[in-house]
Amino acid sequence: MMDRLREGVNGIAVKIILVLIILSFVFAGVSSYLVGGSGNVAAKVGNTTIDRGAFEQAYQNERNRMQSQMGDYFSTLMGDPQYVQTFRKSVLDRMINDVLLEQYAQTLGLRVSDDQVSQLILTMPQFQTNGKFDQDIYAATLRRAGFSPDSFAEYLRKDLLRNQVVSAIQGSEFTLKNEVEQQTQLLTQTRDIQTITLNIAEFAQKAQVTDEELQAYYKSHSENYERPEQMKVAYVELSAEQLKQAITVSDEEAEKYYQEHLDKYSTHEQRKVRHILIKDDEAKAEEILAKLKDGADFAAVAKESSQDVGSAKQGGDLGWIEKGVMDPAFEEAAFDLASKGDVSDVVKSDFGYHIIQLEDVKAPQSKPYEQVAADIKSEIRDQKAVDEFYKLQSKLESVAFESPDSLDEAAKVIGQKIQTTDFISQADAPEILKTSAVAQALESADVKQEGMNSEVLEVAPEHVVVVRVNDVRDETTLPFDEVKEQVKTQLLATKGEQAALDLAASTVESLQKGDDKVLADNGLAFGDEQNIDRRSPLANDVFAMPHPNEDKATYSQTKDEQGNIVIVKLNKVTSGSDDQFEQQIASQLLRMNNQQDLEVLLSSLRESTSIEYKTLSEQ
């Protein structure tokens, strides 16, 4: 197994997996994940701690990813505190699993060399142009994600280490040919059937009900005719978005803003640099600097001596950098260089000792006012709306409190109309009244029972509401006379369905005994034969039917998607065979087995490792 583990890191499959994993983090921004945050501990795994800042960043990255995929539905889910707690725990559990795999790999004596990391970086297609490693793309991608070359290399090293274990598990799993063939036959199996559909609506039309039956049905199903508690609600609403509609911004204002914030619309100075990194030996760095001062070629020396695995083979080329993205000491030295070709003294940073060469300089450039005018006006309009919102919110809070028996003054002070509802329940309330804060306020004693204004309630950023209850009517069972037609419709449907079920049951029983006269007696006839597979809406029940015996059909009954009763005649079962599908099944079984093996390993590691969850509370 050790040989397989050591070889696994070089496998093509693992590299593909790594590329997907790496880029998902690169473009989500994982610098905080790597370097940690506040020093507080989110979890402890054996002797290893997971930093609270790293956890919060990983949680936010995953939250952003899910939000982009699921949109408003995910926002609704995140409104449930219990779901948030579960979601946060799942993120922390994944981080714990990563640590467990790293620790397990270390106990097996597995290691990842600098050369392996370097080769992976150089061969990743995301960092290549025309099939060759592109230092500019590499450097720009790392800068956007907040990585330094060393921190990115360390991140890759940990992933490679974990994936040696994963690769070994994948490489040791297999599937049996008979297992795959049997599964393929089951999944591609088809059945030839004929059906009779008994439309329950037609049976309902033929059904008869008496007043006594209606009264009895009403009493036995009284829960169906309950009206929930309802209330009439009045409210005033204030939002920055509403205020923004009435705000205009003049060209003079926009041009003044442009001049005062010119830096926002200008590119920053950029410098194209090379560097040589020596991690732990200042004396060696000084020796290299002396060589350079004697005229040695910087790029050649970088290729030979630099310990930055990402840039060494490119002659130390880091591409274009700007202030605010590199280590402070490195950045200060790079921007102190005056002329192209200048070389710095040895510079100490958190990553080691650097020697930096300036290759080129790009001066900052400003975008023309005309190009950014629309954005500036929108920004000013947004800011004015927000400022006005908070001014009015403060007034609204005072007035709603000082005049608790009416919304008139509250509406007047913010220049908005009072909106009212008819009797509503929580289910059919306007969306603004369904938010958790508003729903709780409407149930509070002061608002619901005393008829007072609520406090100012936030329903969204820069969006508040004040509510009051004008009237309440209790939950009640609606009178029979009021719901008689509804009761009749439901009882007829029930009777119609039961009549269809009875006819289907008696028909199936007779057919199973070989008596097909029951069809003619009831004016029934099977439709044309159809071949169905497991994707059919009828598949669940049809594929559970006994197989035909010696060309003798079998019979059963089920329901279609509309709820109608269906009598099924099963004529033939055909076992499937599909070479291409068989390959897919083999791959799917292998993936399932791999996943199960990994889960078993992680479960075992969790049992044998002390794990402490320090925090899972929502920030």
Side-chain angles (χ1 to χ4, degrees):
M1 180 175 178
M2 287 293 292
D3 290 340
R4 193 179 296 277
L5 283 168
R6 295 185 188 280
E7 294 169 0
V9 72
N10 294 315
I12 293 175
V14 172
K15 288 185 178 180
I16 293 173
I17 292 171
L18 281 170
V19 167
L20 296 174
I21 293 173
I22 291 162
L23 290 180
S24 70
F25 281 102
V26 166
F27 294 111
V30 298
S31 58
S32 296
Y33 177 85
L34 294 167
V35 301
S38 65
N40 295 330
V41 175
K44 188 174 181 182
V45 186
N47 294 323
T48 304
T49 59
I50 296 176
D51 183 79
R52 173 67 175 269
F55 163 61
E56 293 297 342
Q57 183 63 52
Y59 163 70
Q60 193 59 49
N61 290 341
E62 182 64 8
R63 180 170 179 167
N64 291 341
R65 186 182 70 83
M66 294 293 289
Q67 182 71 54
S68 67
Q69 288 184 354
M70 301 173 66
D72 291 342
Y73 178 68
F74 183 70
S75 298
T76 302
L77 290 177
M78 292 302 286
D80 180 355
Q82 187 173 356
Y83 178 82
V84 171
Q85 189 78 352
T86 302
F87 182 69
R88 287 172 64 82
K89 185 174 185 299
S90 71
V91 174
L92 187 53
D93 278 336
R94 286 198 293 273
M95 298 177 74
I96 290 172
N97 288 345
D98 283 349
V99 174
L100 288 170
L101 289 175
E102 290 167 23
Q103 293 175 343
Y104 181 60
Q106 291 166 358
T107 63
L108 295 175
L110 304 180
R111 297 291 183 269
V112 176
S113 69
D114 287 348
D115 187 60
Q116 285 174 300
V117 175
S118 177
Q119 286 301 314
L120 178 59
I121 292 173
L122 294 175
T123 56
M124 287 175 62
Q126 287 74 12
F127 299 144
Q128 293 184 355
T129 301
N130 298 325
K132 293 183 179 180
F133 181 79
D134 189 318
Q135 177 64 33
D136 288 341
I137 293 177
Y138 169 72
T141 303
L142 263 60
R143 286 198 301 273
R144 285 198 301 270
F147 276 116
S148 70
D150 272 1
S151 63
F152 184 62
E154 182 59 24
Y155 173 67
L156 287 183
R157 192 186 309 278
K158 288 184 177 181
D159 260 331
L160 285 167
L161 189 63
R162 290 194 299 268
N163 277 280
Q164 288 189 61
V165 178
V166 175
S167 177
I169 293 173
Q170 292 174 335
S172 60
E173 190 55 73
F174 62 92
T175 57
L176 298 173
K177 182 175 177 59
N178 288 344
E179 177 186 16
V180 174
E181 289 178 349
Q182 185 180 50
Q183 193 74 7
T184 301
Q185 289 176 0
L186 284 173
L187 291 175
T188 58
Q189 187 183 90
T190 62
R191 303 201 168 196
D192 295 339
I193 64 170
Q194 294 172 270
T195 61
I196 299 171
T197 299
L198 304 180
N199 189 308
I200 59 174
E202 295 177 1
F203 281 81
Q205 290 176 356
K206 299 175 184 177
Q208 300 291 325
V209 293
T210 64
D211 284 343
E212 290 76 13
E213 289 176 316
L214 291 175
Q215 289 280 2
Y217 188 86
Y218 167 76
K219 290 179 181 179
S220 62
H221 297 81
S222 58
E223 68 278 2
N224 293 342
Y225 311 107
E226 290 180 353
R227 185 188 64 208
E229 180 184 66
Q230 295 179 320
M231 58 182 68
K232 289 184 177 181
V233 180
Y235 61 97
V236 290
E237 181 182 2
L238 174 66
S239 75
E241 190 65 30
Q242 289 175 335
L243 298 173
K244 188 168 65 175
Q245 309 306 317
I247 295 174
T248 58
V249 179
S250 67
D251 287 332
E252 290 76 12
E253 285 181 279
E255 289 182 16
K256 181 181 178 183
Y257 185 92
Y258 172 75
Q259 294 298 333
E260 292 174 349
H261 301 83
L262 196 58
D263 60 313
K264 290 178 61 174
Y265 307 103
S266 303
T267 60
H268 298 288
E269 178 187 347
Q270 293 183 320
R271 296 195 159 206
K272 194 172 191 293
V273 298
R274 294 180 184 271
H275 85 138
I276 297 169
L277 172 67
I278 304 299
K279 292 185 178 179
D280 302 309
D281 191 340
E282 184 177 8
K284 183 177 179 181
E286 292 288 356
E287 290 176 11
I288 293 172
L289 178 60
K291 281 185 185 180
L292 295 171
K293 287 182 176 179
D294 287 341
D297 180 72
F298 193 99
V301 175
K303 286 183 180 180
E304 178 184 343
S305 304
S306 180
Q307 294 174 354
D308 177 0
V309 295
S311 68
K313 292 191 177 183
Q314 308 300 317
D317 188 0
L318 291 179
W320 293 95
I321 67 171
E322 59 186 45
K323 289 185 177 180
V325 297
M326 303 296 284
D327 179 273
F330 182 100
E331 189 174 279
E332 182 179 359
F335 279 83
D336 279 345
L337 296 172
S339 304
K340 297 178 184 178
D342 284 357
V343 175
S344 73
D345 292 331
V346 173
V347 180
K348 187 178 186 306
S349 78
D350 291 340
F351 306 105
Y353 300 93
H354 306 263
I355 303 167
I356 307 165
Q357 182 184 52
L358 177 63
E359 287 204 303
D360 203 355
V361 177
K362 283 182 183 177
Q365 293 182 334
S366 300
K367 293 181 180 179
Y369 167 74
E370 293 75 15
Q371 188 175 337
V372 295
D375 291 338
I376 290 175
K377 289 182 178 181
S378 178
E379 187 172 343
I380 295 174
R381 188 181 299 111
D382 288 347
Q383 189 56 56
K384 283 187 172 184
V386 169
D387 291 344
E388 181 68 9
F389 168 82
Y390 284 111
K391 289 179 184 177
L392 293 177
Q393 181 184 6
S394 180
K395 294 180 180 180
L396 180 61
E397 288 170 345
S398 297
V399 172
F401 177 78
E402 293 167 359
S403 304
D405 298 327
S406 169
L407 288 175
D408 292 343
E409 290 300 317
K412 183 178 179 181
V413 77
I414 64 172
Q416 300 293 329
K417 294 181 178 179
I418 299 174
Q419 302 185 59
T420 60
T421 73
D422 198 350
F423 279 110
I424 57 170
S425 64
Q426 182 62 24
D428 56 13
E431 287 300 318
I432 193 173
L433 302 183
K434 289 183 179 180
T435 59
S436 176
V438 175
Q440 290 178 18
L442 290 173
E443 290 297 326
S444 68
D446 286 346
V447 176
K448 182 178 179 180
Q449 298 170 15
E450 302 298 328
M452 298 174 64
N453 295 338
S454 72
E455 61 184 15
V456 176
L457 305 168
E458 184 179 46
V459 295
E462 284 83 48
H463 190 176
V464 297
V465 66
V466 178
V467 299
R468 65 179 291 107
V469 175
N470 288 337
D471 197 2
V472 177
R473 61 185 184 188
D474 295 333
E475 177 182 348
T476 185
T477 300
L478 297 170
F480 172 75
D481 289 341
E482 189 173 327
V483 295
K484 182 176 180 179
E485 287 304 314
Q486 183 182 347
V487 173
K488 183 177 181 180
T489 298
Q490 292 176 341
L491 180 54
L492 286 172
T494 300
K495 280 196 165 190
E497 182 180 21
Q498 189 57 54
L501 285 168
D502 291 343
L503 177 57
S506 62
T507 301
V508 168
E509 183 179 2
S510 296
L511 291 171
Q512 287 173 337
K513 293 177 180 179
D515 179 13
D516 58 3
K517 292 191 301 179
V518 67
L519 298 175
D521 291 345
N522 290 280
L524 303 175
F526 283 105
D528 295 337
E529 187 173 76
Q530 54 182 311
N531 180 266
I532 68 167
D533 58 23
R534 293 183 183 273
R535 294 170 295 181
S536 168
L538 302 177
N540 282 344
D541 290 318
V542 171
F543 277 77
M545 292 174 62
H547 289 204
N549 186 19
E550 297 179 356
D551 295 330
K552 184 178 180 181
T554 57
Y555 301 89
S556 185
Q557 68 185 68
T558 183
K559 287 186 177 182
D560 64 16
E561 292 178 294
Q562 290 73 43
N564 296 314
I565 310 304
V566 180
I567 301 172
V568 180
K569 177 182 180 182
L570 175 56
N571 296 319
K572 184 181 179 181
V573 175
T574 304
S575 295
S577 178
D578 186 323
D579 291 341
Q580 184 176 356
F581 189 66
E582 192 170 302
Q583 294 175 4
Q584 296 175 5
I585 293 298
S587 298
Q588 186 178 17
L589 289 174
L590 197 59
R591 285 195 299 270
M592 290 171 57
N593 292 341
N594 286 333
Q595 183 61 33
Q596 289 173 358
D597 290 346
L598 182 59
E599 289 174 358
V600 169
L601 173 61
L602 287 170
S603 177
S604 175
L605 293 174
R606 281 177 170 269
E607 289 178 3
S608 60
T609 306
S610 173
I611 298 174
E612 298 179 54
Y613 291 83
K614 297 293 187 180
T615 179
L616 281 171
S617 60
E618 175 72 2
Q619 297 301 302

